[in-house]
Amino acid sequence: EPGARDAVEAVVARIKAETSQQSWSFDVLAELMADLRTIEAQLASPLPKTAILRECLRAVRTLLDGNGARNALARIDTLIG
């Protein structure tokens, strides 16, 4: 669905912008980037797997919440319901 795809892309872009200003450990940043790359790979697919997107968004939400980057959390919550 194009609207949902655009919403996920916007959230990913916002997360990248927010996290570029954080000073997190390498492991946390590596995990976050792996999840974001997985989301981007799914969005590039003609048939993105909703379950994979939802799980990656949940994982990203947990990382952001645990590391003080809460600005994107409401948008993620809206996406994953």
Side-chain angles (χ1 to χ4, degrees), residues 46-68:
L47 297 171
K49 284 49 166 196
T50 305
I52 293 172
L53 288 168
R54 188 172 289 122
E55 275 310 306
C56 285
L57 287 168
R58 283 186 183 127
V60 166
R61 188 196 186 291
T62 300
L63 283 171
L64 295 178
D65 192 35
N67 288 284

Side-chain angles (χ1 to χ4, degrees), residues 8-39:
V8 173
E9 287 174 349
V11 167
V12 168
R14 183 172 184 108
I15 291 167
K16 285 182 176 181
E18 286 180 21
T19 57
S20 69
Q21 300 169 5
Q22 302 290 329
S23 57
W24 292 344
S25 72
F26 176 80
D27 289 342
V28 170
L29 207 50
E31 185 175 352
L32 178 64
M33 295 314 293
D35 287 330
L36 293 177
R37 283 194 303 270
T38 301
I39 291 169

